[in-house]
């Protein structure tokens, strides 16, 4: 892992650690709203997926890839997070996680291959 | 059932990076397909204020067809061996095929063209004829940034910065919010020292509502419900401007339940890979909007194509604000 990747990982873990699991962001997430209550397809679910991927508890598979790349980056969850006083940059976290994981999906890279 | 995604994402990343290198945008065409809307307008190629489309409206017919192709070839793209065959067979990347198929999307092509002509006419009215880069105009790279392809975007951002520097304009008036966000907030992270005074065109128009109102001809409707794009409202904080322009057009602006900073997404950002999920989200939003009014106004090309998919089902007409400007300033509606 490069120094830049290591910095990105630390920053991501610090940001996701701020989540107090209040779940107020879940109901406003459009992908959750149309997915029959699958929490992995909500902003909170994605935060937990990222946390556990970074900690090595989960491995990147088909379902987790789907959850991460279906985020619309619409920031509606952040409005709620802010109003509840936590103010986590949820879409920034998901974007940075995509950037961190991008080598898995690019030719010649691949921590999962 | 969760769709298989790993290989799909891998193949789409590879295709988009390849297309960006070949043609400067996610389509990868070698011929300039994005200048036709400006035919006959004689916009100057240089000037203090630059009209910047970033090819977004012009891509719409091709995006519609590409999305259909990805959806049709999803099962192939989800499997490594078959994905190579799909690409080799030009199912996805064939310029000729896509150009041919996009020819079927005449309605969306016309709406995009009218929107740009309306925006250009309105900007010319309030701040003089804008400059336009024609075939030199680059794509901003925003979709690849959203996907986290930072190394690919960095190389592209350097080209965009160079073109804009050579253009020499002191301000940029972008026709869509994704480009405003990319140039104003994201590019400086890729290009240290990059600084552009970039605005969404509604910011410019909202400063001169009376001039706009005086020049405006009759509208084809009386009231509209405003759909705020996520990027406009939450990233750029632009909520009042579109309403001020709508009022200047002599229209009543109605509000859906979720509006302004609480707006609901059109589903567009994931359409490139997950058309079915995107469609469910855009349908939900179209239903909300149709409860208020059957005429919807949008200020983003992505919102336009995604909400327009549900026009028939809900009896809606989704108008880009630029189309309404075109109807009022370039009447009759230019074909």
């Amino acid at each position: 892992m490069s120094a830049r990747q290591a910095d990105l990982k630390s920053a991501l873990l610090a940001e996701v650690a701020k989540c107090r699991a209040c779940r107020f962001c879940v109901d406003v997430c459009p992908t959750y709203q149309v997915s029959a209550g699958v929490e992995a397809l909500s902003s909170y679910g994605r935060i937990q997926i990222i946390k556990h991927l970074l900690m090595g508890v989960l491995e990147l598979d088909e379902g987790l890839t789907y959850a991460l790349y279906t985020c619309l980056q619409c920031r509606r969850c952040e409005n709620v997070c802010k109003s509840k006083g936590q103010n986590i940059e949820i879409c920034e976290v998901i974007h940075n996680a995509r950037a961190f994981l991008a080598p898995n999906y690019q030719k010649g890279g691949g921590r999962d291959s | 059932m969760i769709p298989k995604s790993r290989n799909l994402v891998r193949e789409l990343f590879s295709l988009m990076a390849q297309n960006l290198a070949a043609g400067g945008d996610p389509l990868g065409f070698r011929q300039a397909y994005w200048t036709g809307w400006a035919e006959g307008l004689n916009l100057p190629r240089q000037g203090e204020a630059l009209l910047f489309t970033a090819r977004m409206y012009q891509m719409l017919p091709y995006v519609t067809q590409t999305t259909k192709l990805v959806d049709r070839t999803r099962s192939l793209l989800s499997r490594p061996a078959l994905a190579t065959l799909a690409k080799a067979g030009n199912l996805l990347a064939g310029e000729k095929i896509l150009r041919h198929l996009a020819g079927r999307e005449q309605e969306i092509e016309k709406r995009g063209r009218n929107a740009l002509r309306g925006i250009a006419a309105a900007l010319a009215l309030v701040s003089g004829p804008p400059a336009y880069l024609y075939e030199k105009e680059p794509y901003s790279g925003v979709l690849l940034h959203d996907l986290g392809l930072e190394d690919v975007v960095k190389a592209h951002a350097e080209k965009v910065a160079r073109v804009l520097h050579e253009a020499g304009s002191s301000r940029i008036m972008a026709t869509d919010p994704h480009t405003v966000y990319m140039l104003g907030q994201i590019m400086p992270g890729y290009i240290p020292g990059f600084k552009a005074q970039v605005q969404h065109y509604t910011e410019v128009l909202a400063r001169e509502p009376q001039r706009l109102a005086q020049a405006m001809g009759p509208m084809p409707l009386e009231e509209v419900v405003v759909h705020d794009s996520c990027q406009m409202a939450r990233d750029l904080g632009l909520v009042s401007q579109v309403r001020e322009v709508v009022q200047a057009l002599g229209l009543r602006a109605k509000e859906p339940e979720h509006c302004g900073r609480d707006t609901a997404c059109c589903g567009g950002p994931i359409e490139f890979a997950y058309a079915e999920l995107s469609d469910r989200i855009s349908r939900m939003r179209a239903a909300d909007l149709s409860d208020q009014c059957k005429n919807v106004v949008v200020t983003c090309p992505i919102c336009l194509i995604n909400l327009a998919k549900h026009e028939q089902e809900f009896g809606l007409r989704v108008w880009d604000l630029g189309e309404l400007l075109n109807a009022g300033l370039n009447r009759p509606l230019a074909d």
Side-chain angles (χ1 to χ4, degrees), chain B residues 175-305:
Chain B
T175 55
D176 74 283
H178 296 273
T179 301
V180 179
Y181 178 67
M182 185 69 190
L183 296 187
Q185 298 184 26
I186 303 301
M187 282 271 289
Y190 285 107
I191 313 288
F194 178 84
K195 202 176 171 191
Q197 194 201 327
V198 55
Q199 291 178 300
H200 188 260
Y201 74 91
T202 54
E203 292 179 82
V204 181
L205 299 185
R207 286 202 305 262
E208 302 275 358
Q210 284 177 337
R211 273 176 90 174
L212 208 53
Q214 281 162 6
M216 209 47 70
M219 284 284 115
L221 62 162
E222 289 175 358
E223 60 180 20
V224 285
V225 58
V226 179
H227 165 72
D228 293 288
S229 103
C230 300
Q231 200 114 56
M232 282 282 278
R234 284 191 279 268
D235 285 315
L236 304 174
L238 301 176
V239 173
S240 63
Q241 289 80 354
V242 57
R243 286 152 179 85
E244 285 162 30
V245 176
V246 164
Q247 274 188 338
L249 300 183
L251 303 174
R252 276 191 303 279
K254 300 188 85 176
E255 302 291 347
E257 184 186 352
H258 299 290
C259 57
R261 287 192 63 85
D262 183 42
T263 190
C265 187
C266 72
I270 55 170
E271 193 198 13
F272 75 99
Y274 303 109
E276 193 271 331
L277 182 64
S278 167
D279 196 64
R280 275 189 272 156
I281 294 165
S282 56
R283 187 180 182 279
M284 180 171 65
R285 181 57 172 166
D288 286 348
L289 293 164
S290 76
D291 285 346
Q292 283 301 321
C293 182
K294 297 299 177 191
N295 285 301
V296 178
V297 69
V298 299
T299 51
C300 167
I302 312 284
C303 298
L304 174 66
I305 51 167

Side-chain angles (χ1 to χ4, degrees), chain A residues 4 33-34 60 62-63 65-66 69-70 72 74-76 79 95 98-99 102 104-107 112, chain B residues 3-6 10-11 145-146 148-151 181 230 234-235 258 261-263 269-270 274 280 284:
Chain A
R4 191 169 166 274
Q33 289 171 342
V34 297
L60 198 56
E62 300 288 353
T65 299
Y66 183 71
Y69 286 94
T70 49
L72 295 149
C74 73
R75 295 187 190 269
R76 201 166 173 209
N79 259 7
H95 171 83
R98 286 174 178 176
N104 287 281
Y105 301 105
Q106 287 171 301
K107 300 288 181 195
D112 70 333
Chain B
K4 286 194 165 191
S5 278
R6 277 206 303 187
R10 185 176 285 126
E11 289 305 329
H145 169 77
D146 283 350
L149 294 172
E150 295 186 344
D151 52 343
Y181 178 67
C230 300
R234 284 191 279 268
D235 285 315
H258 299 290
R261 287 192 63 85
D262 183 42
T263 190
I270 55 170
Y274 303 109
R280 275 189 272 156
M284 180 171 65

Side-chain angles (χ1 to χ4, degrees), chain A residues 45-67:
Chain A
R46 293 183 178 105
I47 290 274
Q48 295 307 310
I49 287 168
I50 290 164
K51 181 176 167 181
H52 289 95
L53 277 173
L54 294 175
M55 290 166 62
V57 178
L58 290 174
E59 280 186 26
L60 198 56
D61 63 9
E62 300 288 353
L64 302 187
T65 299
Y66 183 71

Side-chain angles (χ1 to χ4, degrees), chain B:
Chain B
M1 198 181 92
I2 298 280
K4 286 194 165 191
S5 278
R6 277 206 303 187
N7 208 60
L8 175 71
V9 169
R10 185 176 285 126
E11 289 305 329
L12 290 176
F13 276 15
S14 144
L15 190 66
M16 277 192 243
Q18 206 177 301
N19 286 350
L20 193 73
D25 64 36
L27 297 174
F29 295 171
R30 283 165 181 82
Q31 285 179 335
Y33 63 89
W34 55 89
T35 60
W37 73 272
E39 219 167 84
L41 296 183
N42 298 317
L43 297 172
R45 286 174 181 264
Q46 275 199 312
E48 177 264 335
L50 183 70
L51 172 67
F52 195 67
T53 77
R55 313 179 188 179
M56 295 286 280
Y57 280 92
Q58 301 92 314
M59 275 187 218
L60 294 182
Y62 305 101
V63 169
T64 306
Q65 281 301 327
T66 307
T67 306
K68 286 178 185 167
L69 278 172
V70 170
D71 213 34
R72 272 182 227 140
T73 54
R74 171 178 311 283
S75 60
L76 297 183
L77 289 169
S78 303
R79 292 180 233 165
L82 295 176
T84 312
L85 277 178
K87 282 203 301 186
N90 261 345
L91 283 169
L92 262 179
E95 178 170 344
K96 275 185 188 165
I97 293 172
L98 265 181
R99 278 181 176 272
H100 171 70
L101 292 173
R104 295 179 190 170
E105 306 290 339
Q106 287 172 356
E107 174 62 21
I108 200 70
E109 192 275 333
K110 188 174 93 176
R111 289 195 196 182
R113 179 159 35 99
N114 283 343
L116 290 175
R117 291 178 79 90
I119 293 167
L123 289 172
L125 180 78
V126 303
S127 65
Y132 176 54
L133 294 175
Y134 288 86
E135 64 286 343
K136 285 187 183 169
E137 181 178 66
Y139 167 67
S140 71
V142 67
L143 174 61
L144 291 97
H145 169 77
D146 283 350
L147 295 172
L149 294 172
E150 295 186 344
D151 52 343
V152 179
V153 180
K154 185 164 172 41
H156 183 71
E158 283 165 4
K159 289 181 199 163
V160 175
R162 198 164 49 243
V163 171
L164 291 176
H165 178 73
E166 284 168 9
S169 300
S170 57
R171 59 195 178 96
I172 298 168
M173 302 175 296
T175 55
D176 74 283
H178 296 273
T179 301
V180 179
Y181 178 67
M182 185 69 190
L183 296 187
Q185 298 184 26
I186 303 301
M187 282 271 289
Y190 285 107
I191 313 288
F194 178 84
K195 202 176 171 191
Q197 194 201 327
V198 55
Q199 291 178 300
H200 188 260
Y201 74 91
T202 54
E203 292 179 82
V204 181
L205 299 185
R207 286 202 305 262
E208 302 275 358
Q210 284 177 337
R211 273 176 90 174
L212 208 53
Q214 281 162 6
M216 209 47 70
M219 284 284 115
L221 62 162
E222 289 175 358
E223 60 180 20
V224 285
V225 58
V226 179
H227 165 72
D228 293 288
S229 103
C230 300
Q231 200 114 56
M232 282 282 278
R234 284 191 279 268
D235 285 315
L236 304 174
L238 301 176
V239 173
S240 63
Q241 289 80 354
V242 57
R243 286 152 179 85
E244 285 162 30
V245 176
V246 164
Q247 274 188 338
L249 300 183
L251 303 174
R252 276 191 303 279
K254 300 188 85 176
E255 302 291 347
E257 184 186 352
H258 299 290
C259 57
R261 287 192 63 85
D262 183 42
T263 190
C265 187
C266 72
I270 55 170
E271 193 198 13
F272 75 99
Y274 303 109
E276 193 271 331
L277 182 64
S278 167
D279 196 64
R280 275 189 272 156
I281 294 165
S282 56
R283 187 180 182 279
M284 180 171 65
R285 181 57 172 166
D288 286 348
L289 293 164
S290 76
D291 285 346
Q292 283 301 321
C293 182
K294 297 299 177 191
N295 285 301
V296 178
V297 69
V298 299
T299 51
C300 167
I302 312 284
C303 298
L304 174 66
I305 51 167
N306 280 280
L307 294 173
K309 282 189 274 186
H310 306 284
E311 285 183 334
Q312 215 172 356
E313 181 181 359
F314 294 105
L316 288 175
R317 169 62 160 97
V318 183
W319 299 87
D320 188 274
L321 183 62
E323 282 184 277
L324 295 175
L325 291 166
N326 189 53
L329 295 171
N330 296 332
R331 50 192 183 271
L333 279 168
D335 279 330

